[in-house]
Every structure is written in structure tokens, then in C-alpha cells.
């Protein structure tokens, strides 16, 4: 989530193994060093693998759902004109609404008009084109059962936007696990158009600590 979301998925740097009945977590996104570095999996695919591998240790009695295929790029007719040259004040209002009302870190309901179509979305695993991030996020989280709170204010500058979040993420897999975490999001802007060109989230907690918060329904 989280952002992501968030963990954009708990999927990020974790792999689970069971040793003598004890579950341990280790980093897999460490620049190719150490155990099981992530390559090109989507966060949705990786998180599915993570839970599948750790299911015995967590006493999950059900089969992990099939990995959803990610949708193709959105049709150009579905994309509204971009809000180039938008003021900092108007952009702050839009981002605040997307975080608080639209819960976009778990719903992926962004105001697409303020994003460049080439924008990249980065989590702890990989970099995604915008449409892949949108579809993957919608399929990974149960938005109506998750919670995203804005912590403090949205800080908008000419070159970037920053805000902090606090969230509870419910994953769309058997037993509907929920994890909690806090962190921040940084959105880079094109100084000429004012559009967002990159989304990146950072977590305050280690993956191990996030895993300890897991609750199952």
C-alpha cells in the first residue's frame, strides 16, 4: 500500500518464507543484491506471489486469486484536454480533492487532466505508465473498504507537489487482508506546462513493520 497507496502494494519489497513455522520478510528491491530481486512483475502480480508463498505460514486456507491482466491504454477519446498552465492554487485544490474525496491512492480516481500522458508512477518495485498504474491499483485494492487520510497540507510549487498520507489498505484477494502505513507522495511537474510528469511514493515504515499490521477478514 499504501500509497499505491500505495503499498502500492504491500507488494513492494517483500517476500515471505516459512522456516520452522516462523514467517520472515526480506527485501527484494535492493538494486539486484541479496535475495530474489524483483524484475518486471507488476505490483499486483508480485503481491499475489508474496501471499501465495506465505499462505501456509499465515494459515490461509484458500487459493490465491488469479493474477488480473492489465488493461490496454485508454482510448484517446476518453482523455479530456489537459489543464496546461494551471495555477498552483487550482492544482492544490484538485490534488486535495483527489486525495481526500476520491481516495486516489487506493481508487486510482485521479484528475487525469493535470497529468501528462507520459507520466510515470513509481513505487518500491517498479515504474509504471499511467494507465497500467490506474488499472492495477483498481484491481489490487478494495477502495470502499480502505482509508486514505491527508496528513497536513498539500504543498504545491512550480516544479513539484508534496503531501503526506496515513492509510489502511484492503487487498482484493482471499481473506481481504488490511495493512496500515504512513508516508509521503512527491509529484514532479513540467515547469513549462505545469502538468504532473512523475508520481513517487515513499513509506515511513519498513516492509516488515507494515506486514506486522496485517489483519485478516
Amino acid at each position: 500500500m499504501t500509497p499505491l497507496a500505495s503499498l502500492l502494494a504491500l507488494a513492494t519489497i517483500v517476500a515471505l518464507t516459512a522456516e520452522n513455522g516462523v514467517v520472515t520478510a526480506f527485501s527484494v528491491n535492493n538494486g539486484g543484491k541479496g535475495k530474489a530481486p524483483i524484475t518486471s512483475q507488476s505490483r499486483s502480480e508480485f503481491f499475489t506471489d508474496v501471499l501465495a508463498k506465505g499462505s501456509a505460514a499465515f494459515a490461509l486456507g484458500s487459493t490465491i486469486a488469479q493474477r488480473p491482466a492489465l488493461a490496454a491504454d485508454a482510448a484517446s477519446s476518453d482523455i479530456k484536454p489537459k489543464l496546461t498552465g494551471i495555477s498552483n492554487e487550482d492544482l492544490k485544490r484538485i490534488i486535495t480533492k483527489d486525495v481526500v474525496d476520491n481516495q486516489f491512492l487506493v481508487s486510482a480516481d485521479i484528475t487525469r487532466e493535470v497529468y501528462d500522458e507520459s507520466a510515470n508512477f513509481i513505487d518500491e518495485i517498479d515504474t509504471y505508465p499511467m494507465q497500467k498504474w490506474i488499472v492495477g491499483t483498481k484491481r489490487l485494492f478494495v477502495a470502499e473498504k480502505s482509508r486514505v487520510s491527508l496528513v497536513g497540507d498539500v504543498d504545491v510549487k512550480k516544479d513539484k507537489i508534496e503531501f503526506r498520507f496515513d492509510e489502511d489498505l484492503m487487498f482484493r484477494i482471499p481473506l481481504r487482508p488490511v495493512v496500515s502505513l504512513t508516508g509521503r507522495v512527491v509529484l514532479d511537474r513540467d515547469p513549462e506546462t505545469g502538468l504532473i510528469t512523475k508520481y513517487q511514493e515513499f513509506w515511513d515504515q519498513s516492509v516488515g513493520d507494515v506486514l506486522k499490521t496485517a489483519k485478516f477478514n
Side-chain angles (χ1 to χ4, degrees):
M1 318 162 185
T2 210
L4 298 38
S6 303
L7 296 178
L8 263 201
L10 178 60
T12 14
I13 17 180
V14 183
L16 296 179
T17 56
E19 299 179 1
N20 298 322
V22 177
V23 176
T24 60
F26 55 84
S27 171
V28 295
N29 188 22
N30 59 358
K33 300 176 182 179
K35 297 182 179 180
I38 287 298
T39 54
S40 60
Q41 278 183 306
S42 72
R43 60 184 179 173
S44 179
E45 291 173 330
F46 179 61
F47 186 65
T48 299
D49 283 350
V50 166
L51 287 191
K53 292 172 183 176
S55 59
F58 281 120
L60 295 179
S62 55
T63 302
I64 298 302
Q66 289 252 317
R67 301 170 181 173
L70 292 172
D73 290 342
S76 58
S77 59
D78 296 334
I79 300 173
K80 297 178 182 178
K82 298 300 180 181
L83 299 177
T84 57
I86 188 171
S87 68
N88 287 358
E89 183 177 290
D90 286 343
L91 187 55
K92 177 178 180 176
R93 176 180 52 79
I94 288 172
I95 297 301
T96 300
K97 183 176 186 295
D98 281 355
V99 177
V100 177
D101 297 337
N102 296 345
Q103 300 277 287
F104 91 93
L105 296 182
V106 291
S107 70
D109 291 337
I110 60 174
T111 300
R112 192 162 178 155
E113 301 93 294
V114 301
Y115 289 81
D116 191 290
E117 284 302 304
S118 66
N120 288 319
F121 286 68
I122 303 171
D123 62 18
E124 302 288 352
I125 300 178
D126 207 347
T127 298
Y128 314 92
M130 180 161 54
Q131 184 63 17
K132 185 173 182 180
W133 179 86
I134 290 172
V135 176
T137 297
K138 286 181 178 293
R139 290 182 172 173
L140 183 60
F141 300 122
V142 181
E144 62 273 18
K145 297 290 186 179
S146 299
R147 174 195 61 82
V148 179
S149 297
L150 177 64
V151 178
D153 207 359
V154 175
D155 182 26
V156 180
K157 298 179 180 177
K158 183 178 181 179
D159 61 339
K160 66 179 178 180
I161 304 163
E162 292 188 66
F163 64 86
R164 291 192 56 77
F165 64 86
D166 176 354
E167 62 187 358
D168 298 320
L169 304 174
M170 177 179 282
F171 292 89
R172 198 179 298 279
I173 59 174
L175 299 185
R176 294 292 194 262
V178 177
V179 299
S180 302
L181 67 149
T182 60
R184 65 188 175 96
V185 169
V186 178
L187 305 170
D188 288 353
R189 301 177 68 189
D190 183 312
E192 299 298 324
T193 65
L195 297 177
I196 296 167
T197 57
K198 186 175 76 172
Y199 164 107
Q200 188 165 9
E201 62 181 66
F202 303 88
W203 305 338
D204 295 334
Q205 297 82 15
S206 69
V207 173
D209 286 342
V210 171
L211 285 172
K212 292 175 184 177
T213 71
K215 298 178 181 179
F216 295 84
N217 293 277

